[in-house]
Amino acid sequence: MFDWLFEHGDGVSVLTDIGTLIVWVVYAQLLYFSFRRQRRPRLLINRGRKKDIDALCIISNMSAEPVFIQHVVAELETSHGVVRVDVTDRTESYQDGDENRDQDASNSSSESSPIVRDGSHQGPLEPGGFVHIDSFDALTRRLAHDGGFEMEGHQPQQGVVFHSLTVRIICIYGSEDLPIGAERCFEFIDRQPGCGLVPATWDTKRLASWWQRRRLCREIIQLNDKDDLSTLRTSRS
């Protein structure tokens, strides 16, 4: 055996070097994937407490580092167009009679969520932490009010049909220069006399690619240029 190794030493040495290289490449990839997983932001948008339109809109930070919530944008797609509102700051003027209900919801979560207690959803969110930005019903009513739609209960009037509600959050993650984001769409399902709301996808869409982050930068500039609660009304194509 030793004679064979002596005779084929060069070939064995080459094979050993190749094997060592493969081991180091695999090890380097494992380290890279572990590092990327730790550095990759992960935000979730989901329903809480209930499964219908009265459910709370929950934002969870599953990233390894804190995120700073800069903007929370809600888009209501209707048969008469799309209404987009920056709902980062709470407002109590969109519907008479909703003030007490929203204030009670805010007080009930004030101990665990200072962001809601201070009247704004803007602020840092620790890893593993979560915050609710309001109920889906309150968000829908706020967008309907800003869009000029009359509501009776959970239903719009004058032939308007609500199709979906999309919630998008824009955050700053760690020392990253560009913002990151996440969004999820929820579809309306008519259930008289109430209203159902179900997620359109099983998971939250992560907005972290280079072009998505550049788009978020442009959206931030657009939101900061508006003076009327960042409301945008567009026709539905």
Side-chain angles (χ1 to χ4, degrees), residues 65-198:
E65 297 183 13
V67 297
F68 184 89
I69 299 178
Q70 187 166 351
H71 289 282
V72 181
V73 180
E75 293 182 355
L76 180 64
E77 182 181 359
T78 75
S79 57
H80 285 55
V82 177
V83 181
R84 185 182 66 176
V85 177
D86 184 356
V87 295
T88 308
D89 298 324
R90 294 174 60 85
T91 178
E92 313 300 341
S93 61
Y94 53 87
Q95 181 74 23
D96 294 339
D98 287 339
E99 295 88 346
N100 295 332
R101 181 192 61 190
D102 292 342
Q103 187 63 38
D104 292 340
S106 176
N107 292 336
S108 65
S109 61
S110 61
E111 295 181 359
S112 59
S113 178
I115 298 178
V116 177
R117 182 186 62 217
D118 294 339
S120 176
H121 309 305
Q122 185 178 98
L125 188 59
E126 296 297 324
F130 68 93
V131 63
H132 81 78
I133 61 173
D134 223 331
S135 69
F136 285 96
D137 178 51
L139 291 175
T140 302
R141 290 177 181 275
R142 179 172 176 179
L143 270 71
H145 177 268
D146 289 344
F149 302 130
E150 296 182 3
M151 298 282 292
E152 181 177 346
H154 297 296
Q155 304 296 332
Q157 300 300 301
Q158 299 178 347
V160 179
V161 178
F162 290 166
H163 296 293
S164 64
L165 175 64
T166 300
V167 177
R168 180 166 56 257
I169 51 179
I170 304 175
C171 307
I172 302 298
Y173 181 66
S175 59
E176 298 285 341
D177 294 329
L178 295 177
I180 58 101
E183 69 178 13
R184 195 173 188 186
C185 178
F186 298 85
E187 297 178 344
F188 290 95
I189 299 177
D190 290 335
R191 293 176 181 171
Q192 298 294 341
C195 181
L197 191 75
V198 297

Side-chain angles (χ1 to χ4, degrees), residues 38-54:
Q38 292 178 358
R39 291 292 302 168
R40 184 175 62 181
R42 179 64 168 159
L43 301 168
L44 302 179
I45 303 173
N46 208 345
R47 298 173 297 176
R49 292 189 179 178
K50 299 181 179 181
K51 299 298 183 181
D52 55 10
I53 197 172
D54 291 321

